Amino acid sequence: MKKFLAISAGAALAVSMLAFTGCKDKDNEYAIKGDYKEATAQDMADFSKLDLNFGDVTAENFMLGLQVKANFDGSVNMGDAMSASGKASLNYVYNQTADSIKGLGSAATEYSAKYAGQELKGNYSVNVFNNDTYAYADVKSGETDLFAGKVDYMAIINGVMSLPSRIASVAEGETDGSVDLLALAAQYKVGVYVDKKDGWKVKLSASADTVNAIIDSFITDETQATAVKENLSFNKFVFEVYFSVDSNGTFKQLSLNSNLDMKINIPQQPTAEASAPAQELALKFNGGIVVKTTSSVVDLGQIDETKYTDYTEKLKDLINGDVNNPQPNPVV
């Protein structure tokens, strides 16, 4: 089962790394509806005992089907001095059976920015797919081909799964104790909610209070922490994570839902003229990502694999360290 999950995660990971190498408010789409109640300690204890699975992998004709969808857009604005905006999207379907792995999808991004009288614009599109051995991606800027490559993702999995051995010594001497997740969530003002009807739905919800709690935990000087918080303001703050399984612990959906609209006052610099006003930075970011089960079947029959260059060794070099500054104990 561990190997099954490792291969599943690795194939999707390899596609994602290739896809982004070159490279509206969605509340209803990403939020998992439910009758949520504030989680109790007993809820967390029961939830931790779940036997999370992706279905009966021994069943005849079993197929794990996953769909990954994402849409994000954002902007930053500082008066007439600078402005930028962009958006990105991803749609990918993954299938795995007892003897086959395959996936197919696409991603796109576009952006524009203005600074010091100059304007910059661009857009990229990425087509991705994977079979039992390789993950492939081809990238375009507008209509211009930029990149067509593939990686052997099992080689990458072996390297990534070996990385913990590099840092195992860091954990030596640490106490192995349980973490009170509800206490941790309370400390950082994160709401934890559950719906236990027909399985489990879990919702984590952060707020502007969460940002203030994080500031307090990292800036120990109370005066400085207060100053930072006073220069932040939020017109909207939605940041939610959802997770659901059925009554057998079988995975159904994981999603992120966000909608942030904030302003940061940048104090006047000591060297600035007395008449110079303080700057205000406006940030907006919204969208989400969802991973859910699907019965859609991937068809790779029309794809030409011959045009893709193998970048496995280069990616292995990145995992192990810069090829000009090799790590002492390569893992791949």
Side-chain angles (χ1 to χ4, degrees):
M1 184 64 177
K2 289 183 178 179
K3 183 177 180 181
F4 176 86
L5 295 177
I7 293 174
S8 303
L13 175 64
V15 168
S16 300
M17 287 190 291
L18 267 177
F20 291 99
T21 297
C23 56
K24 322 150 183 150
D25 194 331
K26 299 292 184 180
D27 288 5
N28 293 333
E29 183 174 353
Y30 301 107
I32 299 177
K33 295 181 179 180
D35 183 17
Y36 291 97
K37 308 295 183 184
E38 189 170 352
T40 65
Q42 187 59 54
D43 290 332
M44 293 295 94
D46 293 341
F47 184 72
S48 67
K49 298 175 184 177
L50 275 178
D51 181 16
L52 177 63
N53 63 84
F54 290 95
D56 183 3
V57 299
T58 65
E60 186 177 2
N61 299 324
F62 169 81
M63 182 188 79
L64 169 63
L66 295 174
Q67 181 177 32
V68 183
K69 292 183 67 177
N71 284 281
F72 291 101
D73 62 73
S75 65
V76 56
N77 190 294
M78 188 185 289
D80 296 329
M82 180 270 289
S83 65
S85 62
K87 59 183 179 180
S89 62
L90 169 70
N91 192 351
Y92 170 74
V93 177
Y94 173 82
N95 291 167
Q96 180 165 337
T97 64
D99 55 8
S100 174
I101 296 174
K102 55 185 177 180
L104 180 66
S106 62
T109 182
E110 62 181 76
Y111 62 88
S112 63
K114 294 181 179 180
Y115 177 74
Q118 298 184 3
E119 186 172 0
L120 180 67
K121 291 184 177 181
N123 66 83
Y124 296 90
S125 61
V126 186
N127 291 316
V128 297
F129 71 97
N130 66 275
N131 55 27
D132 295 318
T133 307
Y134 283 95
Y136 301 76
D138 60 84
V139 183
K140 289 185 176 182
S141 175
E143 298 300 319
T144 303
D145 293 324
L146 297 180
F147 168 90
K150 65 180 182 179
V151 295
D152 180 342
Y153 57 78
M154 281 308 301
I156 305 306
I157 291 170
N158 291 334
V160 171
M161 293 183 69
S162 299
L163 285 176
S165 63
R166 286 184 171 183
I167 58 175
S169 59
V170 176
E172 291 181 1
E174 293 185 358
T175 302
D176 183 15
S178 60
V179 178
D180 188 335
L181 294 180
L182 287 182
L184 187 63
Q187 177 184 350
Y188 290 102
K189 312 299 183 185
V190 176
V192 182
Y193 308 94
V194 296
D195 178 346
K196 298 185 287 184
K197 297 177 183 176
D198 301 321
W200 283 83
K201 297 176 183 177
V202 178
K203 173 184 175 181
L204 305 179
S205 179
S207 67
D209 290 335
T210 305
V211 176
N212 292 333
I214 293 172
I215 292 171
D216 288 334
S217 67
F218 283 93
I219 303 178
T220 55
D221 185 289
E222 185 175 347
T223 301
Q224 292 181 4
T226 299
V228 172
K229 289 186 285 186
E230 287 178 345
N231 284 295
L232 292 175
S233 61
F234 298 93
N235 296 320
K236 184 176 291 186
F237 196 113
V238 176
F239 194 87
E240 302 166 332
V241 176
Y242 294 86
F243 178 74
S244 66
V245 297
D246 67 16
S247 56
N248 295 315
T250 303
F251 174 81
K252 294 176 64 179
Q253 183 171 325
L254 171 67
S255 59
L256 165 71
N257 178 48
S258 66
N259 193 339
L260 308 177
D261 182 350
M262 62 183 292
K263 293 182 179 180
I264 304 173
N265 291 319
I266 303 175
Q268 185 186 65
Q269 298 300 313
T271 57
E273 296 181 6
S275 60
Q279 296 287 335
E280 183 179 79
L281 185 68
L283 296 171
K284 294 182 180 181
F285 180 83
N286 69 77
I289 182 169
V290 58
V291 181
K292 61 183 180 180
T293 54
T294 180
S295 59
S296 298
V297 177
V298 173
D299 181 7
L300 302 180
Q302 303 302 313
I303 296 177
D304 177 14
E305 301 179 15
T306 61
K307 70 175 184 177
Y308 296 88
T309 302
D310 193 338
Y311 286 92
T312 303
E313 294 303 318
K314 290 186 178 181
L315 192 53
K316 286 161 63 176
D317 287 339
L318 289 175
I319 293 174
N320 285 290
D322 189 323
V323 68
N324 296 316
N325 297 283
Q327 299 294 318
N329 295 307
V331 295
V332 180

